[in-house]
Amino acid sequence: MRALITGGAGFIGANFVHQTLQDRPDVAVTVLDKLTYAGSRDSLADVADRITFVEGDIADADVVDPLVAESDVVVHFAAESHNDNSLNDPSPFLHTNITGTFALLEAVRRHGTRLHHISTDEVYGDLELDDPAKFTEQTPYNPSSPYSATKAGSDLLVRAWVRSFGVAATISNCSNNYGPYQHIEKFIPRQITNLIDGVKPKLYGAGQNVRDWIHVRDHNRAVWDIIDRGRIGQTYLIGADGEKNNKEVIELILELMGHEPGDYEHVADRPGHDLRYAIDNTVLREELGWQPQFPDFRSGLADTIEWYRENESWWRPRKAEVEAKYAKQGQ
Ligand code: NAD
Ligand code: DAU
């Protein structure tokens, strides 16, 4: 099988490339990535001789078309992915998440190539903190931020191309991932690298907001299950019953790194900050037989902390710039 992996130099995409080479020797991997601030060739350095890497924009039809033509499946991770950035400048989010997905859809339509579109639980908006409900495949779309609105738009384009043009696509909407190779602008790696630098972790607002954490390897195994056995045209929710509020996560990072639990500071809240995400993973479990292999958040987080300790050369060049950007926002 020839797989075209968009965004394969980013966090989840790079992990997907590594897992695919390890678990699926039958798959020939091509990565298409624009290498924005979020992408890094270093994340693929140890497998560089086992993949084809193309630097390019998914919105560029001339780049995309020949790559899609020679692929059996496109696994579409490429996106602008950070909510805070989308509040500062939504423009690249529209370009990549909407126009880029449109270009891929037109190419898979022309060539009859299978597409799996990676999306987020944020398309459903948020839940109340005291609400026992979780998101299901039937929850109406209600995105809050420019990021989640463009991801919702990209999902709807995929659904329309399935229905109107018979494109062979599936969609997955996953909760918050953690693990190696995550950009240090994101919550967990930002706090780990702050502590390595002797800086206090930064909690937005009161820190009561809940995220449903899943290890990146469990997300990616679900993606392969959907490619292998998912029903064309269907949406699958991916989550591992990992609800925690942000304060709890910071306190656990502090404990695992040998600090006092209260040794963090409150900073400015995110405008429009979604309260709670939670995934009902019944369909994924019952229809595809998926089970998480990393259900223990504490040990997964400890391994992730170890990875950032051992791979300082990977994140160090980005740290000062990321923190300067947050400092301007009072965060
Ligand atoms: P990331 O920001 O770490 O990586 C994105 C990658 O896409 C980077 O390598 C970047 O260079 C590339 N890219 C950006 N614009 C491009 C373009 N125009 N053309 C080609 N490449 C481009 O993102 P991530 O956290 O790995 O997220 C990957 C996907 O998973 C996204 O679609 C995101 O919406 C989705 N998702 C993420 C999470 C999460 O917790 N991180 C959860 C659910 C879903
Ligand atoms: O739910 C899936 C989504 O999870 C993905 O679609 C996004 O691509 C991914 O970035 C993530 O979005 P979040 O906005 O939830 O993730 P982030 O890591 O930015 O923040 C997680 C929570 O932590 C959120 O409630 C904001 C808070 N936060 C974040 C940072 C960077 C802090 O309290 N302090 C911080 O320094």
Side-chain angles (χ1 to χ4, degrees), residues 86-134:
S86 81
L87 296 166
N88 290 330
D89 180 11
S91 169
F93 290 76
L94 280 114
H95 172 80
T96 293
N97 301 356
I98 301 282
T99 309
T101 301
F102 164 67
L104 283 170
L105 282 165
E106 285 293 81
V108 297
R109 171 154 90 108
R110 273 192 296 274
H111 299 291
T113 308
R114 168 89 162 84
L115 171 72
H116 181 69
H117 175 67
I118 306 290
S119 193
T120 169
D121 59 357
E122 295 192 15
V123 300
Y124 301 113
D126 61 353
L127 300 158
E128 295 297 329
L129 294 179
D130 58 358
D131 183 351
K134 297 184 173 197

Side-chain angles (χ1 to χ4, degrees), residues 160-210:
W161 262 241
V162 170
R163 173 146 179 178
S164 301
F165 305 122
V167 158
T170 39
I171 300 174
S172 54
N173 297 78
C174 188
S175 60
N176 286 61
N177 286 217
Y178 73 99
Y181 298 109
Q182 185 166 29
H183 195 284
I184 54 165
E185 69 188 354
K186 302 295 190 333
F187 178 52
I188 287 179
R190 183 180 183 210
Q191 316 313 333
I192 296 170
T193 54
N194 274 347
L195 282 170
I196 291 172
D197 280 353
V199 173
K200 286 188 178 189
K202 316 284 185 195
L203 191 60
Y204 290 180
Q208 295 308 302
N209 310 63
V210 170

Side-chain angles (χ1 to χ4, degrees), residues 69-307:
E70 65 191 24
S71 301
D72 300 303
V73 62
V74 177
V75 195
H76 176 31
F77 291 92
E80 286 292 336
S81 70
H82 193 37
N83 277 298
D84 293 325
N85 294 344
S86 81
L87 296 166
N88 290 330
D89 180 11
S91 169
F93 290 76
L94 280 114
H95 172 80
T96 293
N97 301 356
I98 301 282
T99 309
T101 301
F102 164 67
L104 283 170
L105 282 165
E106 285 293 81
V108 297
R109 171 154 90 108
R110 273 192 296 274
H111 299 291
T113 308
R114 168 89 162 84
L115 171 72
H116 181 69
H117 175 67
I118 306 290
S119 193
T120 169
D121 59 357
E122 295 192 15
V123 300
Y124 301 113
D126 61 353
L127 300 158
E128 295 297 329
L129 294 179
D130 58 358
D131 183 351
K134 297 184 173 197
F135 299 137
T136 72
E137 283 78 0
Q138 279 71 47
T139 303
Y141 276 36
N142 187 26
S144 313
S145 73
Y147 162 66
S148 51
T150 56
K151 290 298 292 187
S154 67
D155 293 9
L156 297 180
L157 291 176
V158 176
R159 290 182 181 191
W161 262 241
V162 170
R163 173 146 179 178
S164 301
F165 305 122
V167 158
T170 39
I171 300 174
S172 54
N173 297 78
C174 188
S175 60
N176 286 61
N177 286 217
Y178 73 99
Y181 298 109
Q182 185 166 29
H183 195 284
I184 54 165
E185 69 188 354
K186 302 295 190 333
F187 178 52
I188 287 179
R190 183 180 183 210
Q191 316 313 333
I192 296 170
T193 54
N194 274 347
L195 282 170
I196 291 172
D197 280 353
V199 173
K200 286 188 178 189
K202 316 284 185 195
L203 191 60
Y204 290 180
Q208 295 308 302
N209 310 63
V210 170
R211 296 295 182 262
D212 189 353
W213 293 99
I214 182 172
H215 195 280
V216 64
R217 293 183 69 93
D218 282 332
H219 177 184
N220 284 333
R221 281 181 35 261
V223 169
W224 266 120
D225 287 344
I226 297 165
I227 294 168
D228 288 340
R229 301 190 299 283
R231 284 173 292 141
I232 296 301
Q234 290 304 301
T235 288
Y236 293 88
L237 293 196
I238 305 175
D241 300 315
E243 281 186 71
K244 302 229 165 341
N245 76 35
N246 295 338
K247 185 165 167 286
E248 290 173 300
V249 174
I250 281 207
E251 286 171 350
L252 185 54
I253 293 172
L254 282 162
E255 182 198 327
L256 291 168
M257 295 182 75
H259 294 261
E260 294 300 317
D263 208 6
Y264 61 85
E265 62 187 26
H266 293 277
V267 294
D269 206 351
R270 173 183 286 171
H273 199 169
D274 277 343
L275 277 177
R276 171 174 163 252
Y277 307 139
I279 293 274
D280 179 340
N281 58 20
T282 308
V283 173
L284 188 69
R285 284 179 186 267
E286 292 189 354
E287 186 183 316
L288 301 181
W290 174 91
Q291 294 284 342
Q293 288 182 344
F294 298 88
D296 182 356
F297 183 65
R298 186 188 177 88
S299 71
L301 190 57
D303 289 348
T304 304
I305 291 168
E306 200 47 36
W307 189 87

